[in-house]
Amino acid sequence: MNADFGAPKEHAGGLQQRRALYQPRLPPCLQGPTVRAEYGDATTTIDPSCAHVLAQAFPNTFGQPLVSFVAPADAAAEERPPIRVGVVFSGRQSPGGHNVVWGLHDALKAYNPQSVLYGFVGGTEGLFANKTLEITDDVLASYKNQGGFDLLGRSIDQIRTTKQVSSAMATCHSLNLDGLVIIGGVTSNSDAAQLAETLIQNNCKTKVVGVPVSLNGDLKNQFVETTVGFDTVCKVNSQLVSNVCLDAISAGKYYYFVRLMGRKASHVAFECALQSHPNMLILGEEVALSKLTLMEIINKICDGVQARAELGKYHGVLVIPEGLIESIPEMYALIQLLLHQESDNSAQLSQIDTEQLLAHLVETEMIKRTKEGRYKGRKFSSVCHFFGYQARGSIPSNFDCDYAYALGRISLHMIAAGLTGYMATVANLKDPVDKWRCAAAPLTAMMSLKRHLRGPGAIPIGKPSIHPSPIDLKGKAYELLREKASSFLLDDFYRTPGGIQFEGPGSDAKPITLTIENQDYVGDIEILKECLSKVRTMVKPGCSREILKAAISSMLSVTDVLTVMSHPLNAELPLYHFK
């Protein structure tokens, strides 16, 4: 184990030192030592057919209410006892992770200066072995607004086996923790839900809180608009892709095949395509939906190459997610047989040079078309890149600094309120920070069971968990991409977003996919509550029969629609074409 975890960083000066001085902005409700919480209705799961299974698996935490933090509480006369909290990195390093710890620490000390924050050194293995570092102002000084997870480090990304859960519980008992904050993605937060349930069943007082930090951006649902780190990773990769685009058009003779991180969901590749405008983008979600074979994908790429050649263009840029190979039916079984699994039981897709495979097969097909007389242009030449780890340790964007710091502070208020089995959330992220909505959402409300068949009669199979969210092929962002597809392919409509800006007009830019979609779920719930309140006010005993009949008719219509919508059919969608 690295003995330097928690040691001050040796800054080279310049950018890192200036970033350390940046003070994250906070929503109004978090600008005090305590907050006022509002408890909503009991929650359910996004998949109603799984509700009974989840209720049985999580008898103590399923159905908990959504909690909104609406304003600073008047804490002048309150006596707040010190709180003991532990924090652990349980996922891939992602820009902004350090700011979660910073926000948690600041909120903890504002709540009561005698409160203590322990960081588990070495990730979850440090949690199991009770290896801690007390987080202080001095320890944090060199890590504020910095990339990486090197303050504490990380190891395996799971708290799952009986031995692991027992070890984690023993550590919580030993340190007398009031709360445990788990920073990670889909897998880590699924484990956090199970750990919270187990601790309740064993009368352990420690409250378990999850924080959505994942560079893949695949922890998206009705409560989580995006994850910490996604904005930074997409900005860094978009700059690299745009550099390649300009190199391609300058030389005029190479096709660049660029693979980006993304695993099961293609969010990074999707966002980077919207920011940099490469000629072609192939999403794993499209391939999986249309059940395209490998050669069908190759032929589509070759058709694009040929269409560009007819315009005298023999260069281009193709972007793919690393999870694409797993979406191709005939390749999936081979992957499972040949590759070792990651610590979260997924295939090590980063080891597969998918971009080289595609480039080789496209070259072979173009040679074949030339021999058959179907292609008369220049010889096809390719250059391959994998932008996988260049962005994970990047200095975080202003957005990620603010978002992470806010989530850290929310985590403390959740523990102080006695919440367990919840995730810290912020909604309305597309707007300025002073309009953000802070909340705590039950982890079980984000969970479901995998379906091995499509359609309303499909039976959920497997263990309840939070699943990666794919690209929404019905969403506004995807529709925008389809509208621009032809221009991207043929017009060299390259865009150069440049490097991350920390000051100036571009410093507060946010992911395009975040700004396009209307994702303020908490705000929509508030609108619904207002509408229901108005109905109750207008339709009271003693109102006219006409008003009563109109209300009944309207409510019956609404319930009929909602009944149908709660069991939707899986409609097939067209593939995003490049011509």
Side-chain angles (χ1 to χ4, degrees):
M1 182 174 294
N2 190 335
D4 292 332
F5 284 130
K9 290 186 178 182
E10 293 185 7
H11 291 311
L15 180 60
Q16 280 189 314
Q17 288 184 336
R18 293 202 305 275
R19 287 305 287 160
L21 297 175
Y22 176 79
Q23 182 60 45
R25 294 159 290 187
L26 277 176
C29 69
L30 299 180
Q31 294 175 2
T34 60
V35 297
R36 181 164 61 85
E38 288 186 353
Y39 291 78
D41 297 330
T43 56
T44 184
T45 173
I46 194 169
D47 186 349
S49 65
C50 301
H52 66 289
V53 178
L54 282 161
Q56 292 177 353
F58 299 90
N60 296 289
T61 54
F62 181 73
Q64 296 189 105
L66 181 67
V67 180
S68 297
F69 300 113
V70 294
D74 183 6
E78 263 188 61
E79 183 177 344
R80 298 185 296 273
I83 296 179
R84 299 170 64 84
V85 178
V87 61
V88 61
F89 289 128
S90 177
R92 299 299 190 276
Q93 48 269 35
S94 189
H98 286 145
N99 273 34
V100 176
V101 180
W102 180 19
L104 173 61
H105 172 269
D106 282 4
L108 197 68
K109 293 300 182 180
Y111 188 84
N112 186 310
Q114 302 305 312
S115 297
V116 180
L117 178 60
Y118 294 104
F120 291 103
V121 178
T124 52
E125 289 188 343
L127 171 64
F128 306 147
N130 196 0
K131 294 183 178 180
T132 63
L133 169 71
E134 183 174 347
I135 305 297
T136 65
D137 283 324
D138 289 340
V139 168
L140 279 170
S142 299
Y143 294 88
K144 297 175 179 179
N145 304 314
Q146 302 300 310
F149 275 7
D150 51 317
L151 169 61
L152 299 172
R154 56 163 285 265
S155 51
I156 59 172
D157 307 318
Q158 60 175 240
I159 311 171
R160 188 170 312 140
T161 67
T162 301
K163 182 179 180 181
Q164 289 169 345
V165 172
S166 296
S167 296
M169 184 162 55
T171 294
C172 292
H173 275 299
S174 174
L175 295 174
N176 192 27
L177 294 182
D178 297 292
L180 174 64
V181 177
I182 297 176
I183 297 173
V186 170
T187 301
S188 301
N189 280 282
S190 296
D191 291 346
Q194 185 60 63
L195 180 61
E197 180 69 31
T198 302
L199 294 186
I200 293 176
Q201 293 173 359
N202 287 273
N203 298 314
C204 179
K205 74 170 186 177
T206 306
K207 311 304 179 186
V208 180
V209 170
V211 181
V213 177
S214 170
L215 59 89
N216 294 319
D218 56 358
L219 205 177
K220 292 181 66 173
N221 52 50
Q222 64 272 41
F223 303 106
V224 183
E225 296 179 5
T226 190
T227 53
V228 171
F230 178 73
D231 178 55
T232 303
V233 165
C234 289
K235 281 184 166 71
V236 172
N237 280 326
S238 293
Q239 179 190 6
L240 295 175
V241 172
S242 69
N243 291 350
V244 166
C245 289
L246 294 181
D247 192 69
I249 197 172
S250 298
K253 58 181 179 180
Y254 297 114
Y255 272 86
Y256 289 82
F257 286 66
V258 180
R259 175 167 51 107
L260 301 177
M261 300 187 82
R263 304 213 291 184
K264 294 183 181 300
S266 309
H267 295 288
V268 174
F270 184 36
E271 176 66 30
C272 290
L274 289 175
Q275 290 195 24
S276 58
H277 302 179
N279 299 108
M280 298 183 233
L281 167 69
I282 300 179
L283 300 174
E285 290 84 349
E286 297 171 328
V287 171
L289 181 64
S290 299
K291 298 183 175 64
L292 292 181
T293 65
L294 180 59
M295 287 313 301
E296 286 174 332
I297 296 172
I298 296 303
N299 281 322
K300 287 184 178 297
I301 297 173
C302 290
D303 290 344
V305 171
Q306 197 157 337
R308 288 179 58 78
E310 292 172 0
L311 298 176
K313 298 179 178 180
Y314 297 96
H315 64 276
V317 178
L318 168 73
V319 170
I320 61 171
E322 66 177 350
L324 173 66
I325 195 73
E326 196 176 32
S327 302
I328 303 172
E330 72 263 37
M331 302 299 293
Y332 180 76
L334 185 62
I335 291 171
Q336 297 300 314
L337 286 173
L338 297 180
L339 289 183
H340 294 293
Q341 292 183 332
E342 300 272 20
S343 56
D344 62 358
N345 294 330
S346 63
Q348 292 182 343
L349 299 178
S350 60
Q351 294 184 0
I352 304 176
D353 297 328
T354 311
E355 71 283 7
Q356 295 189 25
L357 172 64
L358 295 183
H360 173 74
L361 293 177
V362 167
E363 181 178 6
T364 301
E365 174 62 20
M366 293 309 297
I367 291 174
K368 177 183 176 184
R369 292 186 182 193
T370 300
K371 291 180 178 179
E372 294 173 349
R374 291 187 291 148
Y375 175 67
K376 303 183 185 302
R378 297 180 193 168
K379 180 183 177 182
F380 174 85
S381 297
S382 63
V383 178
C384 296
H385 293 286
F386 172 42
F387 299 150
Y389 305 99
Q390 292 89 340
R392 296 204 314 190
S394 173
I395 291 178
S397 65
N398 288 355
F399 172 76
D400 277 329
C401 286
D402 296 342
Y403 184 28
Y405 186 79
L407 289 172
R409 294 190 73 105
I410 293 170
S411 299
L412 179 277
H413 296 307
M414 293 163 64
I415 294 168
L419 304 180
T420 189
Y422 277 77
M423 180 186 290
T425 66
V426 178
N428 212 29
L429 289 170
K430 66 181 184 299
D431 286 341
V433 176
D434 61 2
K435 296 185 183 300
W436 287 2
R437 299 176 185 270
C438 301
L443 290 164
T444 53
M446 308 175 193
M447 302 178 82
S448 63
L449 278 69
K450 285 186 177 179
R451 290 182 181 275
H452 287 201
L453 297 172
R454 283 193 177 143
I459 300 174
I461 299 173
K463 182 180 178 181
S465 62
I466 302 172
H467 298 294
S469 175
I471 297 293
D472 181 5
L473 299 182
K474 295 181 180 179
K476 295 179 182 178
Y478 181 74
E479 184 61 32
L480 174 64
L481 188 71
R482 292 185 65 191
E483 292 174 1
K484 301 291 186 181
S486 178
S487 177
F488 284 7
L489 175 64
L490 301 176
D491 297 340
D492 290 348
F493 188 47
Y494 301 143
R495 180 174 181 268
T496 306
I500 295 178
Q501 297 178 40
F502 302 117
E503 299 175 356
S507 60
D508 290 326
K510 297 175 182 177
I512 294 173
T513 46
L514 177 66
T515 57
I516 289 176
E517 301 289 350
N518 180 19
Q519 299 176 307
D520 188 5
Y521 186 80
V522 176
D524 290 342
I525 287 179
E526 292 301 317
I527 293 174
L528 175 62
K529 289 167 66 175
E530 290 178 7
C531 292
L532 294 175
S533 178
K534 288 180 180 179
V535 171
R536 291 192 184 97
T537 300
M538 291 184 287
V539 186
K540 289 183 177 179
C543 69
S544 69
R545 183 172 291 277
E546 287 75 15
I547 290 178
L548 183 60
K549 285 185 176 180
I552 292 173
S553 176
S554 299
M555 291 299 102
L556 287 174
S557 176
V558 169
T559 53
D560 286 345
V561 170
L562 294 179
T563 299
V564 173
M565 291 183 67
S566 64
H567 297 88
L569 295 175
N570 290 313
E572 295 293 319
L573 294 170
L575 182 69
Y576 164 39
H577 292 290
F578 301 112
K579 64 178 180 179

